[in-house]
Amino acid sequence: MTAQHDFPLVNLHEFETTSSTGRLEYGSRVDTICRRSGFLAITGHGVPADLIETMWDETRKFFDLPLEQKLKARPRQPGDPYGYFTVKSEALARSRAGMDGGPLLPDLKESFSCGPIHPLTGREGADELAFCYAPTPWSAVSPAFHAAWIAYYDAMEKLAERIMRLFACALGLPEAYFNPYFRAPISSLRGLNYPEQDTAPQPGQIRAGAHSDYGTLTLLLPQQGSGGLEILGPDGQWQAVPAIPDAFVINIGDLMALWTNNRWVSTVHRVVNPPSSRKGQDRRQSLAFFQQPDWDSTIEALPNCVSTGHPPVFSPVRSGTYLMNKFRSTQ
C-alpha cells in the first residue's frame, strides 16, 4: 500500500495473496482511509488492458455520433434510469437537496447508462423493482458497443465483489459477510462525456455538481491525463483526484456510510470546469460502475459499528427504494 500524489493507493492482488496477518494489516489501513476520505485508488485489479481499451473505443465512438442518432438510445420512458442522457439533463447537486447552498444548475455532461445484465425473474409488483430492472435500449446502439459494455460490466461486477471482501476485512468481518446482499445486485454502469466548452457556463455551473454517490462503492476509470474531479476534504477544502495510470478510483457511497453508521465517509465530490488555458483540449471522459445491493436488501448499521455511545444514525432503508428516490431527485 502506497500513496501517489498524496492519494492512497492499494494493490488488491497483494492483499489477496498475502498472509492472514498481512490481510489484517491491509484491512486496518483501508479502514483508516475510509474513515478519513472514503476515496482510494486500486491497482493489481487484473482487468485486462484490451477489454478496457475496447470499452474506451466503443464508448468514444458513441459519444461522437450526431445528437439525433444518440437520441434514439434515450430511456424507453420518462423516469427510467438507463440509456442516453443529453447534456444538462441531470443536476447531481439536487440529490443533496441544496445542502451546499449553491445554485442547482444542470450538469455540463452527457451519459449513457446500463442496468443489471442478469435479469431478475419471478418478481413483480414493486415500483422500485420495475425501476431497477428497466430495460436498457441496446437495440439503438451498435453490436460492438453492446458487447463491450456487457463484458466490461461483468468485469466490474467481479472486481466490486473482490473489493467488498477487502472492505469486510477492514471492518473486522468475515470476508464473505456481504455476499448475501449481492445475489442479484442492481448495479449500473455509466459512460460519461464532458464536451469541450465552446461557450462560457452560467455562473456556478460546472460539469458535475457536488454530490455523494448512492450505493456501496463506485469504480471509476477516468480518462488518462484528465482533470477536474475533486473531493471535499474534512477541512472543507476541495482536493484534486489524480488519474493514476492502470488504477481505478474507488469511493464509498451513501449505503456504505449507512452500513458503517458513519464510521466510513461517503465523500462529496464534483467535476469542475477546465481552465481557460485548455480551451480546445478540454473534453473529458470517464467510466463509472456503481455497485448497489439487491433491490430488496435492507441496509442498516452493522452491529460492530453500533455502541451505547454511538447508536444508529440512520433508519434502515431498502436498496431499491433508496436508489430510485435518489436518481429521480436529480432529473
Side-chain angles (χ1 to χ4, degrees), residues 297-315:
S297 286
T298 298
I299 310 301
E300 56 188 325
L302 295 164
N304 65 339
C305 293
V306 173
S307 65
T308 302
H310 187 46
V313 177
F314 307 98
S315 299

Side-chain angles (χ1 to χ4, degrees), residues 237-253:
Q237 300 298 310
W238 289 100
Q239 173 191 351
V241 176
I244 300 171
D246 196 32
F248 287 90
V249 175
I250 311 299
N251 67 273
I252 300 304

Side-chain angles (χ1 to χ4, degrees), residues 81-165:
Y82 311 128
Y84 173 69
F85 293 84
T86 62
V87 176
K88 300 182 182 181
S89 63
E90 183 177 50
L92 287 172
R94 291 177 184 163
S95 66
R96 290 173 52 78
M99 291 173 63
D100 300 313
L104 301 179
L105 297 171
D107 298 335
L108 300 175
K109 68 178 187 303
E110 59 181 337
S111 64
F112 182 91
S113 299
C114 80
I117 61 175
H118 306 293
L120 186 67
T121 58
R123 306 291 291 274
E124 298 178 356
D127 288 343
E128 63 265 29
L129 178 60
F131 170 85
C132 296
Y133 285 91
T136 300
W138 294 121
S139 61
V141 299
S142 72
F145 178 96
H146 186 188
W149 273 61
I150 295 298
Y152 188 83
Y153 185 108
D154 182 66
M156 293 302 98
E157 195 168 56
K158 292 174 180 174
L159 179 56
E161 290 174 1
R162 293 164 61 198
I163 294 170
M164 288 301 290
R165 290 197 286 271

Side-chain angles (χ1 to χ4, degrees), residues 10-331:
V10 177
N11 189 305
L12 185 60
H13 176 71
E14 288 182 1
F15 163 76
E16 294 171 332
T17 56
T18 190
S19 64
S20 56
T21 300
R23 290 163 88 92
L24 292 176
E25 291 176 354
Y26 259 89
S28 176
R29 294 173 186 173
V30 168
D31 179 42
T32 299
I33 293 167
C34 292
R35 287 173 184 259
R36 290 176 177 171
S37 73
F39 266 76
L40 62 151
I42 292 285
T43 60
H45 48 76
V47 180
D50 59 345
L51 172 59
I52 293 174
E53 189 59 33
T54 300
M55 182 64 176
W56 277 125
D57 289 345
E58 292 302 326
T59 303
R60 189 180 304 110
K61 289 177 186 176
F62 174 80
F63 286 125
D64 285 344
L65 292 171
L67 177 60
E68 60 267 23
Q69 193 166 343
K70 289 184 286 188
L71 288 174
K72 296 177 182 178
R74 284 178 295 185
R76 299 291 176 85
Q77 59 184 17
D80 280 359
Y82 311 128
Y84 173 69
F85 293 84
T86 62
V87 176
K88 300 182 182 181
S89 63
E90 183 177 50
L92 287 172
R94 291 177 184 163
S95 66
R96 290 173 52 78
M99 291 173 63
D100 300 313
L104 301 179
L105 297 171
D107 298 335
L108 300 175
K109 68 178 187 303
E110 59 181 337
S111 64
F112 182 91
S113 299
C114 80
I117 61 175
H118 306 293
L120 186 67
T121 58
R123 306 291 291 274
E124 298 178 356
D127 288 343
E128 63 265 29
L129 178 60
F131 170 85
C132 296
Y133 285 91
T136 300
W138 294 121
S139 61
V141 299
S142 72
F145 178 96
H146 186 188
W149 273 61
I150 295 298
Y152 188 83
Y153 185 108
D154 182 66
M156 293 302 98
E157 195 168 56
K158 292 174 180 174
L159 179 56
E161 290 174 1
R162 293 164 61 198
I163 294 170
M164 288 301 290
R165 290 197 286 271
L166 169 61
F167 282 178
C169 179
L171 291 165
L173 300 167
E175 289 186 19
Y177 180 88
F178 293 110
N179 288 4
Y181 296 91
F182 294 92
R183 303 296 188 193
I186 52 173
S187 305
S188 63
L189 174 60
R190 174 176 276 198
L192 295 143
N193 183 57
Y194 304 87
E196 294 182 3
Q197 296 183 346
D198 299 322
T199 58
Q202 296 181 54
Q205 186 175 38
I206 59 177
R207 287 180 149 176
H211 66 285
S212 58
D213 291 344
Y214 314 146
T216 44
L217 64 85
T218 300
L219 282 160
L220 177 70
L221 188 63
Q223 181 181 14
Q224 285 302 302
S226 65
L229 177 62
E230 297 180 342
I231 60 175
L232 186 62
D235 59 357
Q237 300 298 310
W238 289 100
Q239 173 191 351
V241 176
I244 300 171
D246 196 32
F248 287 90
V249 175
I250 311 299
N251 67 273
I252 300 304
D254 295 343
L255 286 187
M256 204 71 220
L258 190 157
W259 236 334
T260 61
N261 203 27
N262 272 350
R263 169 172 165 174
W264 287 4
V265 180
S266 179
T267 299
V268 174
H269 52 287
R270 66 184 184 180
V271 180
V272 298
N273 300 323
S276 58
S277 61
R278 289 179 59 89
K279 189 168 181 61
Q281 302 176 352
D282 57 10
R283 181 180 182 180
R284 170 190 165 90
Q285 295 186 85
S286 61
L287 303 169
F289 179 83
F290 303 99
Q291 190 200 43
Q292 184 83 16
D294 301 352
W295 78 278
D296 58 353
S297 286
T298 298
I299 310 301
E300 56 188 325
L302 295 164
N304 65 339
C305 293
V306 173
S307 65
T308 302
H310 187 46
V313 177
F314 307 98
S315 299
V317 299
R318 186 157 72 172
S319 173
T321 306
Y322 187 84
L323 176 64
M324 180 180 68
N325 292 340
K326 279 286 191 176
F327 176 85
R328 289 183 171 170
S329 73
T330 68
Q331 301 304 299

